[in-house]
Amino acid sequence: MISRRTALGLIGSGISTFAIGRASAADYPARPVRWIVGYPPGGATDIIARLVGQRLSEKLGQQFVVENKPGAGNNIATESVVNAEPDGYTLQLVNPANYINASLYKNLKFNFVNDIAPVASFQRVPNVMTVNKDVPAKNVAEFIEYVKANPGKVNMASSGNGTSVHLSGEMFMAMTGCKMQHVPYRGAAPAITDMLGGQVQVIFDNMPSIIQHIRSGSLRALAVTSTERSSQLPDVPSVAETVKGYEASALFGMGAPKNMPKEVIAKLNTEINAVLAEPDMKKRLVELGGDPLIQTPEAFGNDIKAETDKWKKVVEFAGLKVE
């Protein structure tokens, strides 16, 4: 791989950066690639990275090594990628925290939209609006009526302040006029435990962690938060069927430091899209809650901007801020 110093020397000699990019893409990857994930091992985000990373390792002949860097709501992981050499050997698992944090945190040392280059999208995963069995509402319209008829009595659980689980609920309140008490937990597991016990009444949880409780009948799904219904819960309507314009899915993909050669981005995008089209990979991603999302880096970049703008409105409505 051509180093930055060598590249500058070649540019001074009249060799174009396009030629350097092409050479890099032809040889890429020539050594193991670090793939930074801002969560501990074992969660849905980490699983997605390992699934895609394993297939890229097999196809490209070099290891895509998942490196977990949890902390500060994903910001530690993101900052490490922003500051990395833009040579294709440090990549990021892009996830909803990145879009939310852009407005939630007031003193970030980076601008995610500007400082991370979009490489490829993976999938969109809906959350599921789920209630405990003591809540009488059987659908979204009845739930809205129930909340408005019982002010101050409905507790909304989440996996933590500022998560997509939390903000999906805040968006629901903003668009319906419902007033619920937010109860943040340290992760989905304790929140679901209290849902089962009746201490909290509703959660807009990630599908992978809640779906087994829905299928067993211990909790009741009222709606999915994507615009369309999910193939995993085909009989469950979307929130948007009742609350027009509501959409709160989790968009996942791969990012890189800005100024990474476009030819390397194009190569990774092509390889990832091929992986996403494989029947076995599609099956696994659907099990995690969403169909593969195959598109160009430019289209993924547009989605990142749209997600960032959407969550900014929700953060501002809820009056959330982390210093």
Side-chain angles (χ1 to χ4, degrees), residues 2-226:
I2 298 173
S3 69
R4 178 175 288 182
R5 180 174 297 176
T6 303
L8 291 173
L10 289 172
I11 293 168
S13 301
I15 298 177
S16 70
T17 55
F18 178 73
I20 294 169
R22 288 187 62 181
S24 300
D27 297 337
Y28 178 85
R31 63 178 189 271
V33 178
R34 298 167 63 231
W35 193 354
I36 309 301
V37 175
Y39 290 98
T45 305
D46 179 70
I47 291 170
I48 292 171
R50 293 179 188 276
L51 281 173
V52 178
Q54 178 62 35
R55 285 297 293 129
L56 289 176
S57 299
E58 294 166 356
K59 287 170 66 67
L60 295 176
Q62 291 288 346
Q63 288 296 310
F64 280 69
V65 181
V66 173
E67 185 174 321
N68 300 94
K69 282 184 174 290
N74 264 246
N75 293 327
I76 292 173
T78 302
E79 189 171 346
S80 71
V81 177
V82 167
N83 293 326
E85 190 79 11
D87 56 8
Y89 290 93
T90 305
L91 304 170
Q92 180 176 15
L93 193 286
V94 177
N95 68 89
N98 297 125
Y99 326 129
I100 294 168
N101 290 353
S103 51
L104 181 64
Y105 286 78
K106 301 307 177 184
N107 297 305
L108 292 178
K109 297 178 181 179
F110 57 85
N111 181 304
F112 185 78
V113 171
N114 294 334
D115 294 338
I116 293 291
V119 175
S121 54
F122 299 155
Q123 66 175 162
R124 279 188 180 275
V125 179
N127 291 343
V128 188
M129 181 182 178
T130 308
V131 296
N132 68 41
K133 293 193 293 185
D134 293 333
V135 174
K138 299 299 190 294
N139 56 53
V140 173
E142 290 180 2
F143 182 81
I144 293 170
E145 293 177 1
Y146 175 73
V147 174
K148 291 183 177 180
N150 294 275
K153 295 183 179 180
V154 177
N155 294 320
M156 180 187 77
S158 84
S159 54
N161 281 311
T163 61
S164 68
V165 178
H166 172 202
L167 292 187
S168 294
E170 292 286 354
M171 181 184 292
F172 183 84
M173 288 193 282
M175 296 182 71
T176 63
C178 289
K179 303 293 185 183
M180 298 182 285
Q181 179 65 42
H182 174 225
V183 183
Y185 290 81
R186 291 184 178 272
I192 291 173
T193 297
D194 277 5
M195 279 283 295
L196 294 168
Q199 287 89 347
V200 286
Q201 286 72 49
V202 64
I203 190 171
F204 291 73
D205 196 25
N206 302 137
M207 184 177 291
S209 60
I210 197 80
I211 193 168
Q212 61 179 329
H213 300 285
I214 295 168
R215 287 174 172 164
S216 71
S218 56
L219 295 173
R220 184 189 314 125
L222 298 186
V224 294
T225 63
S226 50

